[in-house]
Amino acid sequence: MTKKEFDRILLKYYENNQNFIDKWTFTAALGSIPLAIAFVETVKIMCFWGRFLFMTVNICAVLVVVAHIIGAICGKKQCDIMLGNGKNADGYGHAQRICNCGVNIAFCIMVIGYLVIMGLLVYGG
């Protein structure tokens, strides 16, 4: 196996992995918003910090969705520029990396926050 074939295989696996991660984070964030709306009455009985955490988690869910969309747009523009005329499109690549980082951070906060909220609802808070 040559270096070029090995790199192509690694790129294929990287793309499959990234598609899987993107699909699940986007789906989880979109799915959490209607569920959160259904639990508003339940969360109203929680303490101030529980309600604050609930709002923070839902803002993170919206940020995940928005950052995914902006990152996809930047990635598409970067590819269009690079394939079209070969100009430097580093600005779009940098914007996409920032969006991906934002998605990862917001998604982690969202998941941890939902686990804390479930604990507060189960054990009182």
Side-chain angles (χ1 to χ4, degrees), residues 49 84 88 90 100:
W49 291 110
N88 191 355
D90 288 340
N100 288 342

Side-chain angles (χ1 to χ4, degrees), residues 14-24:
Y14 170 80
E15 288 172 354
N16 288 339
N17 186 34
Q18 192 61 41
N19 287 337
F20 175 78
I21 291 169
D22 289 345
K23 185 188 318 179
W24 279 102

Side-chain angles (χ1 to χ4, degrees), residues 6-124:
F6 183 73
D7 289 345
R8 191 176 69 238
I9 291 170
L10 284 179
L11 183 62
K12 180 183 136 192
Y13 285 125
Y14 170 80
E15 288 172 354
N16 288 339
N17 186 34
Q18 192 61 41
N19 287 337
F20 175 78
I21 291 169
D22 289 345
K23 185 188 318 179
W24 279 102
T25 56
F26 192 74
T27 303
L30 274 179
S32 71
I33 295 168
L35 286 174
I37 292 170
F39 283 100
V40 166
E41 290 300 319
T42 305
V43 173
K44 281 185 179 180
I45 63 171
M46 294 175 67
C47 66
F48 168 78
W49 291 110
R51 293 189 310 259
F52 178 78
L53 180 61
F54 181 76
M55 287 305 300
T56 302
V57 164
N58 288 301
I59 289 168
C60 284
V62 172
L63 286 174
V64 167
V65 173
V66 171
H68 259 295
I69 292 169
I70 292 171
I73 291 169
C74 289
K76 183 180 181 321
K77 285 185 179 188
Q78 181 184 21
C79 287
D80 289 345
I81 290 171
M82 295 299 287
L83 292 173
N85 53 17
K87 287 185 180 176
N88 191 355
D90 288 340
Y92 288 116
H94 182 67
Q96 185 180 23
R97 285 189 295 278
I98 289 172
C99 287
N100 288 342
C101 185
V103 165
N104 294 338
I105 292 169
F107 187 75
C108 288
I109 293 170
M110 184 183 87
V111 170
I112 292 168
Y114 277 133
L115 291 173
V116 171
I117 288 170
M118 284 192 303
L120 288 173
L121 288 172
V122 169
Y123 295 110

